[in-house]
Amino acid sequence: KNQVEQSPQSLIILEGKNCTLQCNYTVSPFSNLRWYKQDTGRGPVSLTIMTFSENTKSNGRYTATLDADTKQSSLHITASQLSDSASYICVVASGTYKYIFGTGTRLKVLA
Amino acid sequence: GAVVSQHPSWVICKSGTSVKIECRSLDFQATTMFWYRQFPKQSLMLMATSNEGSKATYEQGVEKDKFLINHASLTLSTLTVTSAHPEDSSFYICSATGLDLYNEQFFGPGTRLTVL
């Protein structure tokens, strides 16, 4: 069964600190893996997209990693800001137009 | 980047009425659009996939007669919630993709539906 699991379910950190979110997947076939940021009451916005051959991809303070062998991905947020408070969703694409969503990690950044 | 809009952003209706939600791709041709619903503190759940000019493909458990989807043009898809009931209250999000977009889907801002 295709599954995408994220951890932790929720996370609270202080402004300026770093954090890492985890995504483990069992999806076949694998096309690519995306991380999205979803603000409360808004649609998801893409942060990074990685294919099978990519190990790391950065987007500003966001750095995603992918280990295709262990089927794990992480999203590292550096020097967190209050505006980083959101849900972060890991999505694995399998074939054409088939997407498996993780349950998300809710991040709260406190001043 | 590719932009997707939704209208309305929120709607409140009485039980038994029908509500139409629009999803538009503003700067690209959306050959495929997706409709999701999201309950509080949960992830997105795919309801249906629609290709321009053809009937939508619904996910298991989604009533196609209750959630009518029309994708009549390459820039517009509509979701009509017929005879809405309070349990239909949710956050509805559409996404779209098209040719030369490398399978990436672009999400709309969502529509909050509240059925009284």
Side-chain angles (χ1 to χ4, degrees):
Chain A
K1 180 181 178 183
N2 288 330
Q3 279 188 321
V4 176
E5 296 182 348
Q6 291 186 242
S7 62
Q9 189 173 29
S10 61
L11 182 62
I12 300 174
I13 62 174
L14 294 176
E15 186 178 16
K17 297 296 184 181
N18 304 334
C19 67
T20 300
L21 313 181
Q22 299 290 342
C23 173
N24 297 336
Y25 62 92
T26 53
V27 176
S28 181
F30 175 91
S31 294
N32 55 60
L33 184 147
R34 303 173 168 96
W35 282 94
Y36 289 91
K37 177 187 179 187
Q38 185 181 21
D39 293 313
T40 300
R42 306 292 294 174
V45 174
S46 179
L47 295 175
T48 63
I49 176 172
M50 289 184 292
T51 60
F52 187 86
S53 59
E54 295 176 297
N55 300 119
T56 303
K57 184 162 284 188
S58 292
N59 178 1
R61 295 180 296 102
Y62 301 102
T63 299
T65 65
L66 174 64
D67 186 331
D69 291 330
T70 61
K71 298 187 177 181
Q72 296 180 327
S73 176
S74 66
L75 180 69
H76 186 75
I77 304 175
T78 304
S80 61
Q81 300 176 357
L82 297 178
S83 59
D84 292 332
S85 296
S87 288
Y88 292 83
I89 305 171
C90 175
V91 180
V92 178
S94 178
T96 303
Y97 302 153
K98 183 175 176 64
Y99 308 96
I100 295 85
F101 282 70
T103 52
T105 293
R106 300 180 70 200
L107 174 66
K108 180 69 174 177
V109 180
L110 300 178
Chain B
V3 180
V4 176
S5 70
Q6 280 185 244
H7 177 81
S9 56
W10 59 270
V11 57
I12 301 174
C13 69
K14 292 182 178 180
S15 184
T17 61
S18 294
V19 174
K20 180 183 286 188
I21 302 170
E22 294 185 348
C23 177
R24 293 182 184 272
S25 58
L26 300 185
D27 52 3
F28 68 99
Q29 293 186 327
T31 51
T32 303
M33 286 185 163
F34 308 87
W35 285 96
Y36 297 86
R37 65 189 300 182
Q38 185 178 33
F39 294 105
K41 300 184 181 181
Q42 295 186 22
S43 191
L44 284 72
M45 292 173 48
L46 180 65
M47 299 175 66
T49 303
S50 72
N51 294 301
E52 184 266 337
S54 60
K55 291 183 179 180
T57 301
Y58 290 81
E59 294 298 298
Q60 191 172 11
V62 178
E63 300 175 58
K64 61 181 180 181
D65 293 330
K66 180 168 185 61
F67 299 100
L68 302 179
I69 293 173
N70 183 284
H71 190 171
S73 79
L74 285 172
T75 59
L76 174 65
S77 176
T78 60
L79 167 67
T80 301
V81 183
T82 62
S83 187
H85 290 284
E87 58 265 30
D88 297 324
S89 298
S90 187
F91 192 52
Y92 291 87
I93 304 174
C94 73
S95 71
T97 189
L99 299 177
D100 299 328
L101 292 179
Y102 306 102
N103 232 10
E104 180 162 6
Q105 53 178 330
F106 297 89
F107 289 88
T111 296
R112 171 73 59 191
L113 170 64
T114 301
V115 184
L116 302 177

